[in-house]
Amino acid sequence: MESTAQTESAAFKEKVRRTVYLDNLSPHVTESVLKTALNQFGTVKSVEFIPNYTESKNIPLCALVEMEHVKQAKAVIAALGEFPFMMSGMPRPVRARPAEVEMFDDRPKPDRIIRCCWLNPNDPAFEVAQKLKQMVRQHAAEASFVLKNQLEEEEKLAKQQRDSLKANYKKYELIDGIIGDGTAQRLVRRYGMKVLDN
Amino acid sequence: MASSDDEVEFGPTSVSNYYFEDEMDQPVSFSVLPIQWSENESPIGDKRRVSLRGAADKGLQTIHKDVTAWKFDLNNAIPEISVLSKEKIWIKLLKPRKSFEETIRTILITVHCLSYGKRNPEASGKSFWDHLSRTFSLYEVRPSQNDLLDHMDLISEALKRDDSLAKSKFLVTFLEEKPRKKKISDQDIQTTTTSAFIVDDTEDVMDDVANEDESDKDDLFDSACAFCDNGGELLCCEGRCLRSFHPIAEDADNSCETLHLTREEVDAIHNYLCKNCEYKQHQCYACGKLGSSDKDKGAEVFSCASATCGHFYHPLCISKLLFWDDEAAAENLQKSIVQGGSFTCPLHKCYVCKGGENMMDSELQFALCRRCPKAYHRKCLPRKIAFEGEEEKGLITRAWEGLLPNKRILIYCLKHEIIDELGTPSRDHIKFPRTEEEKTVVEGSKKKQKLELPSCKEKVGSMKSNPTSKDSFQGKSAVKTLPRFSAMKHGEIMKKSGKLSAVSDSSSKVKTADASKSSLKKNMKSVPVGVDRSSKLVANKTSLGERLFAYVKETEHIKLGKRDTPDSELTKTVTVTAASKKLSTELPSLDADSERRLLALMEDAASSITLEDVKKKHRMPSTHAHSLKTYVDRTIKLGRVEGSVEAVQTAIRKLEEENSSIEDAKAVCQPEVLDQIFKWKNKLRVYLSPFLYGMRYTSFGRHFTKVDKLQDIVDRLHWYVQDGDMIVDFCCGANDFSCLMKKKLEATGKKCFYKNYDIMPAKNDFNFEKRDWLTVRPGELAPGSQLIMGLNPPFGVKAALADLFINKALEFNPKLLILIVPPETERLDIKKPPYDLVWEEEQFLSGKSFYLPGSVDENDKQMDQWNLVSPPLSLWSRHDWTAKHKAIAEKNGHINREHEGSNLEKNSNETRIIDQHMEDDSGQYGDTSMLTDLPLQINEAEKLRHIATKGHKESSPVSDSDKQNTNDYRKNQSSKDTRKREHHNKNRGSEMSRKSAVDEQSGGRRTGMEISSGTPHHSPTNVISGRSSAEGHPSKSIEMPSMSHFEPSTSRSHMQSGTACGEIQSSIRGETGLVSGISSKSPADEQSGGRHPGREIQFGNPHRRSPANVIDSRSSAEVRPSRSIEMPSVVDNGRQHFEPSMSGSHRSAYGGTQASFSDDMELRLSMNNSDSYSAFRYNGGVNVGEQFTARGRDNGDSLGYRPYISDIERESDVRSQFGYYGQEPAGSDPIFGQLGSLPSTNYGHIGSATAAPYRMNTSVMQRYAPQLHDLNPPMTHRFEPPPPMGGTNDLYDARAPPIPGYQADPFANTPGPHYPYPPPGSSGWLDD
């Protein structure tokens, strides 16, 4: 009984080591996209998307990708850390880091029994609990504030990128307009000049 | 002696323009002297004979003294350095001789650094470097840590001796971090280590490649500040005014008004739009008054038509200027301008002679007044407008050269009074439409002290520069006032343009920037410290439990900090968090304080990561080094583009409609502008390619050669390998090549070594080293005579990267180089030493020979890739090995020769069987593509069209003079056909059934078509074939099937095009078109008609040439896998090498291509691609394009046939054709017999290697190629590439309505397929 639990936990630990945590994924990324993308560094064994409960908004998804060997997982992390790696045309690079045990839903839970009870306000532990509660709330508030700010920032960044893309694309269209309809070429001929247009 | 005593006692105490020499009269730094730390200590260090030379006494006296020691004094704002003369007199060093600066650079920087550290113990590294670069602004290379490294001992000694110095955090950490820093900075400098040097070199090369024409490009547009008419670091307006401004008050000298921005703001601005352009309120250049230039809302001022002008005028003003002597003409012009007519302002005609400008002739270059519309030829320039240096004549300088582009002269004409202090006329000439808020900002900022910062970007010759001497106290106070302004300005900018960058610019991080927050942020360094201290106090007073609690929180917060800002400086975050946490312990919810604290935290974390740091960490490999981003953003301004485009349009209108002279047109649009436009387009295309070509760009944009292709290469290459050779794949990708090679060589009993390099980890790590090939050094590999290296390097723009890779490879003197590189790569036979070509196969890798690793298409299948012009596979031999290699090539039939192979049939038999086998085995790609195709069938209309098209196919094997062979062959062929047919049917079951349904509908018509078209078509064929057989060229070719596709065309235009379609067979086609046009009624036909004019395809393939057979026999014995299946390129190969294993029908399609495509079709294709195209863009587009581009063979098919099948792999194509024929009662044989020989003509020629038809081929293909691209871009938007920037894809929608000619981008594909690594453009995006 115990040995199976042990092997299980050992196997799980091994799995964790083989696994890469990816975030900043584009919503367009599907399992097969992920698989193919990482298959160039090794063999992907499984892909598990981590559902995002914290926000209803379209926060980039995260996923756990299990590779065949630890070495490959390391290679993935190294490669993605070294070069901006884009998936599905998303112009923001995907991030990768080693997975941690806590990221797994199906991790073997320790045999800890959690008991709940009411505390008397006079109990010295009451104050501690109170403080902890407060602290948790505060953290939540802070986290959401930070998250909000980050999101705003990202949106701004996205907008800025979009704008600059649009602007550049507009330039391209403008130029393409006159080159495409032959105006520019006619003028080139009129001027008797040579233009390198491939 | 007295005099010398005098010198000693009253000699100079300071020296300027100095330098030091050693015994050898070589310049030497004074730091070699012993240093004296304090007066009562004796100098420490070795004694050397060093003499000081320089000028003293304001230059009246020259000094030549031996010196024995030096010291520095940090007590003043500017550190003093003195040297001790032999006479024991301290001589203060003032300004070094210019040429000597470099010698003492490091020690000066070190001393200044110490001085700054002493006065600013809290200062961060950044402020250190800012300070130092300000101080040493004249140095070409910014001060860096490298400068300090030489004097680590000095610094540590100084810290030991001076308590206040020891408090300097920066210096202390610097000393501690020494080893790591040293490495980094070495790399920065890129001179010390070889690898860095190489990378540096590479970057330069890349720059050269991408910037080759950048030197002249900037020159077209104004590059002087609109305020002060001087050069320097400028911010260019994105709008139509085409002006540039000095953005930063501190940077500008000569009291330029500037835009009053801070460095951060400037960095944050991506596209600057001046107030005039933003509000569309421009000044009339004649009268100076502001007026609306918004054409939608009734413009008051209109811009000059010239592309590079950027000035606006009231119609009245300009009319008066242009026709001052002709009121009627003036009135006409005025009216015409109001109605939108164009005009060129007086700046484009000489004021004196009314002549135009000619940049090439220095006498005819223009001098333009910067205050009013007046221009002179150089030769016509009034004498009173004097150049610099002519002041002696009593004239005021009014003209400067080198400031304006196009060799123009900047002048202030005599109307404007020059103000002495400024050297220019008064500078009130620019009016921005101003708001109240801005005024205060501007006024406020006027009071700011001016600092001088080095100008590093966009250096333009600045002639009136008058560097303000900098005082560090001034600097400080200015810095203090800055945050306010920046905050205000900041908010304003955000509101108005929202163009702030959130990435790198720290100040933009705060969203709701108000003054206090902003200043808080600015003073980050001190704030946290303060809080820190107070928290310590509090902590000391509280109980242990409290402290524990705080500790828990602290750790919690560390985590928080980590999560939010993974790279933040941990220590700092901890202190700040802990401290602030303490203060807000009792806060139930987030109040403003804690919000601010969090913001500050984020801010701090953000500011600890600079873009530079990130860039440093992500050192790009040589292949990614160059980015076009700067160029695109900084140079291709929207206003410039608009102006240029309009100018082109105006110019052509003038020429074509108004019969103006060329000179007039050139005044509007200089030829250089036109040239520029084309260059811009290319740049933009490369830059935007990830978005233009969408989904292909998952991952790193690499492309790998397909395994089956590699296997082919291995099969060929292994003959040349000897036991003990080393095989190097310098860009191994998935690392398949080495593995295949190893397998093969081991099978043949050769033992070799392998080395594989790539910058990405390879999936298979067999002898793999993750390394940039360009950093591999000679000596790391086996000697050249055992080296076989090469394969598929990244290509880069214009094969620049390929060249680099090859050049690197040549450093190793390999005996053999096997290369897959684009044709434009520099040939190895012109290198030094030259290599000899053993063989080259142009079409070996045509078609889907590559795939994009890590990218999937919409069906989640690996994406294939193709090249517009397929990269040839070539084998190069070192000169001394050439004979040997050639012999091997000869022996194995790698060199194309005419052979009479009697065992041809047998061989092909074998081959075919094997092929069949392979088909099953290696079905990977085939399958992939099959699946890919399925979606195709979704579109009914399209299918209809397809089917209709299919109906008009005929094929016939060609019989040639060698009848026996033919017969045998045909037998083989037919058996194979059957097999294929079955296979095919299985695969395409659904499609077939649908097809048949449609067939029923359109069958009648189709039949008619066949008949009518068939006849005229066949007869010429036969004639030709007769000739060809008489010539006897195709003697060995067994089968020459040909197919023709007729497509009905409904619309009149199609009929026309049909007529014009063929160069060779135009008459036939005309008929076809006509027939089909009349007979077709079905909607399907209507759709398809537009795109597919009647067209015929004929082909014949002499591929069964003997050399091919020889190879074949061999290869069949060796199991050559998929070549026959993929049938890639054979046709083109025809020139050198025919591959027997191809089935005739494939080939035949190829022949058709040459014959049938004509310009008209291209035209039509590009214009008609609306409905029908969009229908299959989604799935078919890619493949259609691909087939055309890559593989001549498929061209025929693709137009007529491919679209429906489009994604089915080549072999399935073939199969399908066979299947089709099989169904046709009229069947293959009879027609085969008939048609067969036409192609043989073509191929006869080809075979004989004169290649006349082949060339024709190529040209047709090339002509055709552009159009293929028309198919591709649409695909992009059908793919619905993920909204590029996390949002809408309106961008792509914009493309949806096909604008005629819009898609004409001829090489639309190029950037994609050509560059295995992301083209510069994409890295540009990454930089975002």
Side-chain angles (χ1 to χ4, degrees), chain B residues 799 803 806-807 821-831 876:
Chain B
D803 279 335
I806 293 172
N807 288 341
V821 289
E824 59 267 36
T825 316
E826 197 187 2
R827 311 252 321 163
L828 273 74
D829 40 15
I830 59 169
K831 303 255 188 210
W876 299 87

Side-chain angles (χ1 to χ4, degrees), chain B residues 348-360:
Chain B
H348 313 288
K349 289 273 181 285
C350 173
Y351 185 73
V352 175
C353 71
K354 309 296 175 203
E357 182 183 23
N358 183 354
M359 270 174 235
M360 297 307 146

Side-chain angles (χ1 to χ4, degrees), chain B residues 606-676:
Chain B
S607 64
S608 69
I609 313 168
T610 67
L611 192 59
E612 280 66 35
D613 290 346
V614 176
K615 276 182 182 162
K616 247 179 236 168
K617 228 164 64 187
H618 294 273
R619 281 187 65 77
M620 286 290 172
S622 46
T623 45
H624 291 56
H626 180 68
S627 163
L628 272 177
K629 179 171 162 45
T630 328
Y631 180 80
V632 167
D633 281 352
R634 301 267 173 210
T635 310
I636 311 183
K637 296 283 176 191
L638 187 58
R640 293 176 177 181
V641 173
E642 277 173 2
S644 305
V645 165
E646 275 175 31
V648 169
Q649 285 162 342
T650 312
I652 195 79
R653 199 171 56 238
K654 272 181 182 285
L655 283 175
E656 293 183 351
E657 292 167 23
E658 298 165 21
N659 293 319
S660 308
S661 66
I662 290 275
E663 189 171 299
D664 276 352
K666 284 188 179 174
V668 173
C669 175
Q670 303 152 344
E672 290 78 7
V673 171
L674 196 53
D675 195 40
Q676 182 78 68

Side-chain angles (χ1 to χ4, degrees), chain B residues 305-321:
Chain B
S306 173
T308 53
C309 179
H311 291 302
F312 288 75
Y313 297 92
H314 288 113
L316 183 65
C317 296
I318 189 68
S319 309
K320 275 187 186 162
L321 276 172

Side-chain angles (χ1 to χ4, degrees), chain B residues 1265-1280:
Chain B
Q1267 189 180 342
L1268 308 181
H1269 299 304
D1270 299 340
L1271 309 184
N1272 266 327
M1275 154 203 89
T1276 309
H1277 83 96
R1278 290 294 299 182
F1279 265 36
E1280 299 234 14

Side-chain angles (χ1 to χ4, degrees), chain B residues 981-1201:
Chain B
R981 206 180 302 139
E982 284 167 10
H983 199 255
H984 161 66
N985 285 342
K986 230 182 291 161
N987 283 334
R988 302 183 44 221
S990 62
E991 198 184 333
M992 292 294 280
S993 64
R994 257 182 257 169
K995 187 187 27 173
S996 64
V998 181
D999 281 347
E1000 279 170 24
Q1001 289 178 355
S1002 61
R1005 193 174 39 75
R1006 203 195 340 145
T1007 325
M1009 280 280 303
E1010 271 163 25
I1011 295 163
S1012 60
S1013 59
T1015 323
H1017 163 48
H1018 291 165
S1019 46
T1021 312
N1022 288 332
V1023 173
I1024 296 169
S1025 70
R1027 217 174 349 106
S1028 73
S1029 56
E1031 287 168 19
H1033 278 303
S1035 57
K1036 285 306 149 202
S1037 73
I1038 293 164
E1039 177 216 24
M1040 310 212 150
S1042 65
M1043 292 192 312
S1044 59
H1045 302 260
F1046 291 99
E1047 297 212 349
S1049 60
T1050 315
S1051 71
R1052 251 165 262 140
S1053 67
H1054 304 156
M1055 282 162 53
Q1056 282 172 6
S1057 64
T1059 320
C1061 212
E1063 290 172 3
I1064 303 169
Q1065 292 146 342
S1066 60
S1067 64
I1068 299 163
R1069 236 175 264 131
E1071 272 180 61
T1072 318
L1074 209 66
V1075 172
S1076 60
I1078 293 164
S1079 60
S1080 64
K1081 294 257 155 67
S1082 77
D1085 288 339
E1086 277 171 21
Q1087 278 187 349
S1088 62
R1091 215 168 31 81
H1092 303 281
R1095 122 180 36 112
E1096 305 166 45
I1097 296 165
Q1098 295 149 352
F1099 4 49
N1101 290 340
H1103 14 136
R1104 309 293 158 198
R1105 235 119 246 276
S1106 31
N1109 288 326
V1110 171
I1111 291 168
D1112 211 23
S1113 57
R1114 209 181 359 101
S1115 67
S1116 56
E1118 292 164 13
V1119 182
R1120 72 172 26 203
S1122 44
R1123 183 178 301 173
S1124 60
I1125 297 167
E1126 294 249 346
M1127 325 226 104
S1129 42
V1130 191
V1131 181
D1132 281 344
N1133 279 346
R1135 232 174 24 150
Q1136 288 190 341
H1137 165 79
F1138 287 106
E1139 300 199 6
S1141 53
M1142 320 283 297
S1143 79
S1145 56
H1146 297 288
R1147 306 291 194 85
S1148 49
Y1150 182 71
T1153 315
Q1154 354 164 268
S1156 60
F1157 300 143
S1158 70
D1159 285 334
D1160 290 14
M1161 279 181 53
E1162 286 176 38
L1163 208 72
R1164 197 129 32 73
L1165 273 172
S1166 58
M1167 314 237 322
N1168 281 330
N1169 54 1
S1170 46
D1171 290 346
S1172 52
Y1173 270 78
S1174 61
F1176 73 92
R1177 261 177 221 148
Y1178 187 65
N1179 35 28
V1182 183
N1183 289 309
V1184 175
E1186 164 252 323
Q1187 285 155 2
F1188 281 125
T1189 47
R1191 198 166 315 150
R1193 177 191 80 75
D1194 273 336
N1195 282 350
D1197 286 347
S1198 325
L1199 278 194
Y1201 186 65

Side-chain angles (χ1 to χ4, degrees), chain B residues 125-413:
Chain B
K126 191 173 181 303
S127 43
F128 259 91
W129 298 119
D130 280 353
H131 168 80
L132 289 175
S133 46
R134 241 178 285 134
T135 313
F136 296 97
S137 61
L138 292 176
Y139 283 8
E140 272 174 28
V141 185
R142 279 172 66 110
S144 72
Q145 276 166 349
N146 229 35
D147 294 313
L148 302 188
L149 290 172
D150 291 347
H151 304 285
M152 294 297 282
D153 295 341
L154 178 70
I155 295 172
S156 64
E157 186 67 22
L159 256 60
K160 261 183 241 158
R161 289 167 179 271
D162 190 331
D163 289 345
S164 56
L165 259 182
K167 282 182 196 143
S168 167
K169 287 181 179 169
F170 168 74
L171 289 172
V172 171
T173 38
F174 176 73
L175 285 178
E176 283 165 0
E177 286 173 350
K178 150 176 88 171
R180 185 173 67 83
K181 294 287 185 190
K182 176 148 189 144
K183 209 169 144 207
I184 291 174
S185 48
D186 279 356
Q187 275 173 3
D188 284 348
I189 299 303
Q190 287 178 338
T191 48
T192 33
T193 72
T194 321
S195 70
F197 174 72
I198 290 167
V199 171
D200 188 31
D201 201 28
T202 315
E203 279 166 359
D204 285 346
V205 176
M206 292 306 296
D207 279 350
D208 288 346
V209 171
N211 299 355
E212 60 191 345
D213 44 22
E214 270 179 43
S215 48
D216 51 319
K217 99 278 151 175
D218 271 330
D219 289 338
L220 280 179
F221 293 93
D222 196 354
S223 51
C225 172
F227 294 116
C228 67
D229 303 320
N230 210 344
E233 184 189 346
L234 294 170
L235 190 58
C236 302
C237 173
E238 191 79 8
R240 283 302 304 275
C241 71
L242 307 179
R243 291 177 300 184
S244 307
F245 305 93
H246 279 131
I248 303 173
E250 288 79 42
D251 276 5
D253 47 271
N254 212 5
S255 61
C256 174
E257 186 166 304
T258 77
L259 295 170
H260 305 296
L261 302 175
T262 62
R263 166 74 53 199
E264 287 77 21
E265 286 165 348
V266 173
D267 289 344
I269 290 174
H270 271 238
N271 295 316
Y272 174 72
L273 206 56
C274 74
K275 290 280 169 281
N276 291 115
C277 292
E278 188 183 339
Y279 297 111
K280 297 201 171 166
Q281 291 272 328
H282 287 99
Q283 278 176 278
C284 170
Y285 198 50
C287 70
K289 288 188 183 113
L290 276 173
S292 166
S293 57
D294 192 344
K295 282 183 182 149
D296 300 333
K297 296 175 187 164
E300 296 163 300
V301 291
F302 297 85
S303 68
C304 167
S306 173
T308 53
C309 179
H311 291 302
F312 288 75
Y313 297 92
H314 288 113
L316 183 65
C317 296
I318 189 68
S319 309
K320 275 187 186 162
L321 276 172
L322 288 172
F323 297 104
W324 50 274
D325 52 350
D326 185 345
E327 257 182 54
E331 210 161 297
N332 281 342
L333 179 65
Q334 194 183 334
K335 276 180 193 151
S336 115
I337 293 174
V338 172
Q339 284 157 10
S342 67
F343 65 91
T344 42
C345 71
L347 278 173
H348 313 288
K349 289 273 181 285
C350 173
Y351 185 73
V352 175
C353 71
K354 309 296 175 203
E357 182 183 23
N358 183 354
M359 270 174 235
M360 297 307 146
D361 184 345
S362 77
E363 285 301 301
L364 293 179
Q365 285 160 0
F366 264 6
L368 305 182
C369 178
R370 292 285 283 186
R371 288 291 184 275
C372 68
K374 205 175 269 184
Y376 299 94
H377 281 131
R378 190 187 290 269
K379 67 181 171 67
C380 304
L381 198 62
R383 292 250 169 262
K384 283 189 174 173
I385 299 182
F387 281 96
E388 211 169 2
E390 294 177 11
E391 293 90 342
E392 295 83 14
K393 297 174 197 163
L395 294 173
I396 306 163
T397 306
R398 283 177 176 274
W400 291 268
E401 294 203 68
L403 277 172
L404 290 186
N406 297 333
K407 298 173 191 153
R408 284 173 170 170
I409 305 157
L410 182 153
I411 61 167
Y412 302 109
C413 76

